Amino acid sequence: MVDLSSNRLHGAVSSSFFQEAWNVTSFSVSNNTFSGPMPSSICHPSSSSLRHLDFSFNNFNGSISFGLGKCSKLQVFRVGYNYLSGSLPEDIFNSTILEEISLPRNSLHGAVSDRISNLTNLTTLDLSYNQLSGVLPLHLGKLSKLKHILHDFNSLEGSLPLSLMNCTNLVELRMGTNNLGSNISMLNFSILSQLSKLDLRKNNFFGILPRSIYSCKFLKAIRVSYNNLEVQIQPEILSLKSLSFLSLGWNKGLTNVTGAMKILMGCKCLLMLSLASSFLGEEMPNDVEMADFNGFQNLRLLDLSSCNLSGIIPSWLSKLKKL
Protein backbone atom coordinates (compact mmCIF):
# COMPACT_ATOMS: atom_id res chain seq x y z
CA MET A 1 0.00 0.00 0.00
CA VAL A 2 1.30 3.46 -0.97
CA ASP A 3 -0.51 6.52 0.39
CA LEU A 4 1.03 9.89 -0.47
CA SER A 5 -2.23 11.84 -0.37
CA SER A 6 -2.57 15.40 0.97
CA ASN A 7 1.02 16.54 0.57
CA ARG A 8 2.75 19.11 -1.63
CA LEU A 9 4.25 16.68 -4.10
CA HIS A 10 4.58 17.79 -7.71
CA GLY A 11 6.00 16.77 -11.07
CA ALA A 12 5.08 13.62 -12.95
CA VAL A 13 4.28 10.12 -11.73
CA SER A 14 6.61 7.72 -13.51
CA SER A 15 5.41 4.51 -15.14
CA SER A 16 8.59 2.83 -13.98
CA PHE A 17 7.32 2.84 -10.41
CA PHE A 18 4.48 0.49 -11.33
CA GLN A 19 6.78 -1.76 -13.33
CA GLU A 20 8.84 -2.38 -10.21
CA ALA A 21 6.15 -2.23 -7.52
CA TRP A 22 4.22 -5.18 -8.87
CA ASN A 23 2.84 -6.18 -5.47
CA VAL A 24 1.31 -2.81 -4.50
CA THR A 25 -2.42 -3.23 -3.79
CA SER A 26 -3.32 0.42 -3.17
CA PHE A 27 -1.81 3.58 -4.64
CA SER A 28 -3.03 7.09 -3.74
CA VAL A 29 -1.51 10.45 -4.65
CA SER A 30 -4.72 12.44 -4.21
CA ASN A 31 -4.68 16.07 -3.14
CA ASN A 32 -1.20 17.01 -4.39
CA THR A 33 0.00 19.09 -7.35
CA PHE A 34 1.15 16.36 -9.72
CA SER A 35 0.91 17.40 -13.36
CA GLY A 36 1.49 16.16 -16.89
CA PRO A 37 -0.09 13.04 -18.36
CA MET A 38 -1.01 10.09 -16.22
CA PRO A 39 1.47 7.19 -16.25
CA SER A 40 1.31 5.41 -19.59
CA SER A 41 1.69 1.96 -18.11
CA ILE A 42 0.25 1.02 -14.74
CA CYS A 43 -1.27 -2.42 -15.11
CA HIS A 44 0.44 -5.62 -16.17
CA PRO A 45 -1.64 -8.76 -16.85
CA SER A 46 0.56 -11.15 -14.96
CA SER A 47 1.68 -9.03 -12.03
CA SER A 48 -0.71 -6.20 -11.16
CA SER A 49 -2.19 -6.52 -7.70
CA LEU A 50 -3.77 -3.04 -7.69
CA ARG A 51 -7.17 -2.86 -6.07
CA HIS A 52 -7.34 0.84 -5.27
CA LEU A 53 -6.06 3.66 -7.54
CA ASP A 54 -6.55 7.33 -6.63
CA PHE A 55 -5.14 10.22 -8.69
CA SER A 56 -7.84 12.73 -7.74
CA PHE A 57 -7.33 16.41 -6.89
CA ASN A 58 -4.19 17.04 -8.94
CA ASN A 59 -3.30 18.73 -12.23
CA PHE A 60 -3.05 15.72 -14.53
CA ASN A 61 -3.94 16.32 -18.17
CA GLY A 62 -4.30 14.33 -21.37
CA SER A 63 -6.37 11.20 -21.81
CA ILE A 64 -6.92 8.15 -19.64
CA SER A 65 -4.98 5.47 -21.48
CA PHE A 66 -2.74 3.14 -19.55
CA GLY A 67 -4.16 -0.31 -20.12
CA LEU A 68 -6.79 -0.03 -17.43
CA GLY A 69 -8.43 -3.24 -18.58
CA LYS A 70 -5.31 -5.15 -17.57
CA CYS A 71 -5.87 -4.20 -13.93
CA SER A 72 -7.75 -7.41 -13.34
CA LYS A 73 -8.13 -6.86 -9.59
CA LEU A 74 -8.96 -3.14 -9.62
CA GLN A 75 -12.00 -2.26 -7.51
CA VAL A 76 -11.70 1.52 -6.98
CA PHE A 77 -10.65 4.00 -9.69
CA ARG A 78 -10.59 7.72 -8.83
CA VAL A 79 -9.14 10.47 -11.05
CA GLY A 80 -11.59 13.28 -10.34
CA TYR A 81 -10.71 16.98 -10.11
CA ASN A 82 -8.01 17.06 -12.77
CA TYR A 83 -7.74 18.35 -16.34
CA LEU A 84 -8.22 15.07 -18.17
CA SER A 85 -9.82 15.07 -21.62
CA GLY A 86 -10.85 12.59 -24.29
CA SER A 87 -13.48 9.90 -24.00
CA LEU A 88 -13.96 7.15 -21.46
CA PRO A 89 -11.33 4.49 -22.19
CA GLU A 90 -12.89 1.44 -23.84
CA ASP A 91 -10.83 -1.00 -21.82
CA ILE A 92 -12.41 0.22 -18.59
CA PHE A 93 -15.45 -1.86 -19.55
CA ASN A 94 -13.34 -5.02 -19.23
CA SER A 95 -12.61 -4.38 -15.55
CA THR A 96 -15.59 -6.38 -14.41
CA ILE A 97 -14.84 -6.34 -10.67
CA LEU A 98 -14.76 -2.52 -10.48
CA GLU A 99 -16.91 -1.20 -7.65
CA GLU A 100 -16.25 2.53 -8.01
CA ILE A 101 -15.52 4.82 -10.97
CA SER A 102 -15.10 8.44 -9.91
CA LEU A 103 -14.06 10.86 -12.68
CA PRO A 104 -15.79 14.16 -11.72
CA ARG A 105 -14.64 17.65 -12.74
CA ASN A 106 -12.57 16.85 -15.78
CA SER A 107 -13.16 17.58 -19.48
CA LEU A 108 -14.18 14.13 -20.64
CA HIS A 109 -16.44 14.07 -23.68
CA GLY A 110 -18.35 11.65 -25.90
CA ALA A 111 -21.04 9.16 -25.00
CA VAL A 112 -21.17 6.60 -22.21
CA SER A 113 -21.00 3.24 -23.96
CA ASP A 114 -23.69 0.65 -23.29
CA ARG A 115 -20.77 -1.67 -22.57
CA ILE A 116 -20.74 -0.15 -19.11
CA SER A 117 -23.47 -2.68 -18.33
CA ASN A 118 -20.61 -5.25 -18.13
CA LEU A 119 -19.52 -3.72 -14.83
CA THR A 120 -22.12 -5.48 -12.72
CA ASN A 121 -20.23 -4.92 -9.45
CA LEU A 122 -20.33 -1.11 -9.66
CA THR A 123 -21.76 0.66 -6.63
CA THR A 124 -20.58 4.21 -7.52
CA LEU A 125 -20.49 5.84 -10.97
CA ASP A 126 -19.49 9.50 -10.74
CA LEU A 127 -19.08 11.24 -14.11
CA SER A 128 -20.34 14.64 -12.97
CA TYR A 129 -19.00 17.99 -14.17
CA ASN A 130 -17.64 16.83 -17.52
CA GLN A 131 -18.66 17.35 -21.15
CA LEU A 132 -20.28 13.98 -21.81
CA SER A 133 -23.00 13.87 -24.45
CA GLY A 134 -25.32 11.41 -26.16
CA VAL A 135 -27.99 9.27 -24.53
CA LEU A 136 -27.73 7.27 -21.34
CA PRO A 137 -26.94 3.57 -21.79
CA LEU A 138 -30.14 1.65 -22.48
CA HIS A 139 -29.13 -1.22 -20.19
CA LEU A 140 -27.86 0.89 -17.30
CA GLY A 141 -30.30 -1.02 -15.11
CA LYS A 142 -28.16 -4.14 -15.36
CA LEU A 143 -25.94 -2.49 -12.77
CA SER A 144 -28.25 -3.57 -9.98
CA LYS A 145 -25.68 -2.92 -7.24
CA LEU A 146 -25.39 0.80 -8.04
CA LYS A 147 -25.91 3.07 -5.04
CA HIS A 148 -24.65 6.36 -6.45
CA ILE A 149 -25.21 7.63 -10.02
CA LEU A 150 -23.75 11.12 -10.37
CA HIS A 151 -24.02 12.46 -13.93
CA ASP A 152 -24.97 16.09 -13.28
CA PHE A 153 -23.42 18.99 -15.21
CA ASN A 154 -22.88 17.31 -18.57
CA SER A 155 -24.63 17.52 -21.95
CA LEU A 156 -26.49 14.22 -21.84
CA GLU A 157 -29.74 14.00 -23.79
CA GLY A 158 -32.64 11.65 -24.38
CA SER A 159 -34.66 9.92 -21.68
CA LEU A 160 -33.96 8.19 -18.43
CA PRO A 161 -33.87 4.49 -19.38
CA LEU A 162 -36.72 2.54 -17.84
CA SER A 163 -34.16 -0.10 -16.85
CA LEU A 164 -32.90 2.41 -14.27
CA MET A 165 -35.72 1.27 -12.01
CA ASN A 166 -33.89 -2.07 -11.70
CA CYS A 167 -31.20 -0.30 -9.65
CA THR A 168 -33.11 -0.99 -6.45
CA ASN A 169 -30.11 -0.18 -4.25
CA LEU A 170 -29.89 3.43 -5.45
CA VAL A 171 -29.23 5.93 -2.69
CA GLU A 172 -28.31 8.94 -4.82
CA LEU A 173 -29.48 9.79 -8.35
CA ARG A 174 -28.04 13.03 -9.75
CA MET A 175 -28.82 13.94 -13.36
CA GLY A 176 -29.20 17.70 -12.97
CA THR A 177 -28.09 20.30 -15.52
CA ASN A 178 -28.16 18.21 -18.69
CA ASN A 179 -30.39 18.13 -21.77
CA LEU A 180 -32.40 15.11 -20.69
CA GLY A 181 -36.09 15.03 -21.41
CA SER A 182 -38.82 12.41 -21.11
CA ASN A 183 -42.20 11.84 -19.49
CA ILE A 184 -41.22 11.42 -15.85
CA SER A 185 -44.63 9.98 -14.97
CA MET A 186 -43.51 6.77 -16.70
CA LEU A 187 -41.08 6.05 -13.86
CA ASN A 188 -42.09 4.08 -10.78
CA PHE A 189 -39.97 5.44 -7.96
CA SER A 190 -41.58 3.18 -5.39
CA ILE A 191 -39.13 0.47 -6.49
CA LEU A 192 -36.21 2.64 -5.35
CA SER A 193 -36.91 2.15 -1.67
CA GLN A 194 -33.40 3.22 -0.55
CA LEU A 195 -33.32 6.51 -2.47
CA SER A 196 -32.09 9.44 -0.38
CA LYS A 197 -31.22 12.16 -2.93
CA LEU A 198 -32.97 12.88 -6.24
CA ASP A 199 -31.64 15.67 -8.46
CA LEU A 200 -33.14 16.15 -11.94
CA ARG A 201 -32.99 19.96 -12.05
CA LYS A 202 -32.39 22.00 -15.21
CA ASN A 203 -33.47 19.46 -17.80
CA ASN A 204 -36.48 19.08 -20.10
CA PHE A 205 -38.52 16.54 -18.17
CA PHE A 206 -42.28 16.80 -18.55
CA GLY A 207 -45.42 15.07 -17.28
CA ILE A 208 -46.83 14.83 -13.79
CA LEU A 209 -44.38 14.46 -10.92
CA PRO A 210 -45.27 10.90 -9.85
CA ARG A 211 -46.73 10.29 -6.43
CA SER A 212 -44.60 7.15 -6.26
CA ILE A 213 -41.76 9.45 -5.13
CA TYR A 214 -43.47 9.61 -1.74
CA SER A 215 -42.89 5.87 -1.36
CA CYS A 216 -39.16 6.54 -1.00
CA LYS A 217 -39.25 6.86 2.78
CA PHE A 218 -35.57 7.76 3.11
CA LEU A 219 -35.67 10.75 0.75
CA LYS A 220 -33.83 13.73 2.20
CA ALA A 221 -33.48 15.89 -0.92
CA ILE A 222 -35.68 16.41 -3.99
CA ARG A 223 -34.52 18.86 -6.64
CA VAL A 224 -36.55 18.94 -9.85
CA SER A 225 -36.65 22.69 -10.55
CA TYR A 226 -36.25 24.17 -14.04
CA ASN A 227 -38.16 21.51 -16.00
CA ASN A 228 -41.58 21.32 -17.62
CA LEU A 229 -43.19 19.24 -14.92
CA GLU A 230 -46.73 19.50 -13.61
CA VAL A 231 -46.27 19.77 -9.87
CA GLN A 232 -48.74 19.83 -7.00
CA ILE A 233 -48.03 19.60 -3.29
CA GLN A 234 -49.71 16.41 -2.07
CA PRO A 235 -50.33 15.46 1.60
CA GLU A 236 -48.37 12.24 0.94
CA ILE A 237 -45.19 14.33 1.11
CA LEU A 238 -45.56 14.22 4.90
CA SER A 239 -44.55 10.55 4.77
CA LEU A 240 -41.01 11.71 3.95
CA LYS A 241 -39.98 12.17 7.56
CA SER A 242 -36.34 13.04 6.74
CA LEU A 243 -37.01 15.53 3.91
CA SER A 244 -34.75 18.54 4.42
CA PHE A 245 -34.24 19.94 0.89
CA LEU A 246 -37.11 20.57 -1.54
CA SER A 247 -36.77 22.49 -4.80
CA LEU A 248 -39.78 22.40 -7.14
CA GLY A 249 -39.71 25.87 -8.68
CA TRP A 250 -39.65 26.93 -12.32
CA ASN A 251 -42.07 24.22 -13.38
CA LYS A 252 -45.79 24.57 -14.03
CA GLY A 253 -49.09 23.75 -12.39
CA LEU A 254 -48.11 24.68 -8.83
CA THR A 255 -51.08 26.61 -7.39
CA ASN A 256 -52.75 27.38 -4.03
CA VAL A 257 -49.84 28.84 -2.11
CA THR A 258 -51.76 28.81 1.20
CA GLY A 259 -52.68 25.14 0.86
CA ALA A 260 -49.12 24.25 -0.13
CA MET A 261 -47.67 26.05 2.87
CA LYS A 262 -50.06 24.36 5.28
CA ILE A 263 -49.02 20.95 3.97
CA LEU A 264 -45.30 21.66 3.82
CA MET A 265 -45.12 23.08 7.34
CA GLY A 266 -45.71 19.49 8.46
CA CYS A 267 -42.29 18.53 7.05
CA LYS A 268 -40.50 19.01 10.37
CA CYS A 269 -36.96 18.47 9.03
CA LEU A 270 -37.25 20.91 6.12
CA LEU A 271 -34.22 23.23 5.94
CA MET A 272 -34.48 24.58 2.40
CA LEU A 273 -37.67 25.20 0.38
CA SER A 274 -37.65 26.66 -3.14
CA LEU A 275 -40.94 27.22 -4.97
CA ALA A 276 -39.79 30.03 -7.26
CA SER A 277 -41.94 31.07 -10.23
CA SER A 278 -45.02 29.28 -8.86
CA PHE A 279 -48.50 30.33 -7.63
CA LEU A 280 -48.42 33.11 -10.23
CA GLY A 281 -50.52 36.11 -9.23
CA GLU A 282 -51.81 34.65 -5.95
CA GLU A 283 -51.81 36.41 -2.60
CA MET A 284 -49.20 35.79 0.05
CA PRO A 285 -50.69 33.65 2.88
CA ASN A 286 -51.68 36.08 5.60
CA ASP A 287 -51.76 35.72 9.37
CA VAL A 288 -55.47 34.87 9.51
CA GLU A 289 -55.05 31.99 7.06
CA MET A 290 -52.03 30.73 8.98
CA ALA A 291 -53.54 31.29 12.43
CA ASP A 292 -52.69 27.80 13.63
CA PHE A 293 -49.25 27.98 12.04
CA ASN A 294 -46.56 26.10 13.93
CA GLY A 295 -44.31 24.79 11.18
CA PHE A 296 -41.05 25.47 9.38
CA GLN A 297 -39.24 25.72 12.72
CA ASN A 298 -36.01 24.40 11.16
CA LEU A 299 -36.35 26.26 7.85
CA ARG A 300 -33.27 28.28 6.88
CA LEU A 301 -34.09 29.25 3.31
CA LEU A 302 -37.48 30.08 1.77
CA ASP A 303 -37.51 30.99 -1.92
CA LEU A 304 -40.76 32.41 -3.34
CA SER A 305 -39.07 34.64 -5.89
CA SER A 306 -40.61 35.43 -9.30
CA CYS A 307 -44.09 34.36 -8.14
CA ASN A 308 -45.79 37.75 -8.66
CA LEU A 309 -47.37 37.36 -5.21
CA SER A 310 -49.49 40.18 -3.84
CA GLY A 311 -50.40 41.26 -0.32
CA ILE A 312 -48.15 42.16 2.59
CA ILE A 313 -45.22 40.43 4.26
CA PRO A 314 -47.02 38.44 6.99
CA SER A 315 -45.84 38.34 10.58
CA TRP A 316 -45.88 34.52 10.67
CA LEU A 317 -42.57 34.67 8.81
CA SER A 318 -41.03 36.35 11.85
CA LYS A 319 -41.74 33.22 13.88
CA LEU A 320 -39.23 31.26 11.81
CA LYS A 321 -36.26 31.75 14.11
CA LYS A 322 -33.75 29.81 11.99
CA LEU A 323 -34.67 31.44 8.68
Side-chain angles (χ1 to χ4, degrees), residues 119-267:
L119 308 183
T120 53
N121 286 296
L122 271 185
T123 60
T124 297
L125 180 59
D126 185 355
L127 304 175
S128 58
Y129 291 88
N130 277 286
Q131 299 167 18
L132 298 172
S133 58
V135 299
L136 290 165
L138 182 63
H139 300 294
L140 190 61
K142 288 185 177 180
L143 307 181
S144 58
K145 294 182 180 180
L146 272 176
K147 294 182 178 180
H148 306 276
I149 301 179
L150 286 62
H151 286 11
D152 45 331
F153 290 90
N154 279 286
S155 298
L156 299 169
E157 56 191 35
S159 61
L160 291 180
L162 293 178
S163 68
L164 189 62
M165 296 299 108
N166 295 329
C167 299
T168 55
N169 291 300
L170 266 184
V171 173
E172 187 174 15
L173 177 60
R174 284 177 21 195
M175 294 286 184
T177 314
N178 279 286
N179 297 315
L180 296 167
S182 59
N183 189 342
I184 198 172
S185 60
M186 301 291 291
L187 301 176
N188 182 8
F189 286 92
S190 64
I191 301 173
L192 307 181
S193 59
Q194 304 301 311
L195 195 63
S196 174
K197 296 179 182 179
L198 175 66
D199 184 359
L200 302 177
R201 74 191 189 281
K202 291 190 177 181
N203 279 287
N204 301 306
F205 292 110
F206 59 91
I208 300 173
L209 188 67
R211 291 192 177 190
S212 59
I213 284 179
Y214 305 133
S215 300
C216 304
K217 303 301 184 184
F218 297 106
L219 262 178
K220 296 180 180 179
I222 302 174
R223 184 154 52 181
V224 294
S225 52
Y226 290 94
N227 279 284
N228 297 306
L229 298 172
E230 296 180 33
V231 179
Q232 287 294 331
I233 304 297
Q234 305 291 345
E236 292 97 320
I237 199 170
L238 298 178
S239 64
L240 306 181
K241 302 297 185 182
S242 300
L243 187 65
S244 61
F245 189 110
L246 181 63
S247 179
L248 304 176
W250 300 98
N251 280 289
K252 58 184 181 181
L254 198 52
T255 59
N256 188 5
V257 62
T258 301
M261 289 296 167
K262 286 185 174 181
I263 293 174
L264 290 172
M265 70 180 187
C267 297

Side-chain angles (χ1 to χ4, degrees), residues 27-44:
F27 183 80
S28 175
V29 291
S30 66
N31 198 23
N32 280 284
T33 56
F34 287 109
S35 58
M38 294 182 64
S40 59
S41 179
I42 293 179
C43 304
H44 306 278

Side-chain angles (χ1 to χ4, degrees), residues 58-86:
N58 279 285
N59 299 314
F60 291 109
N61 56 45
S63 61
I64 305 173
S65 56
F66 51 79
L68 188 62
K70 297 177 183 177
C71 294
S72 59
K73 298 180 181 179
L74 192 63
Q75 295 173 309
V76 176
F77 179 51
R78 299 172 182 162
V79 291
Y81 297 83
N82 281 286
Y83 299 95
L84 298 170
S85 57

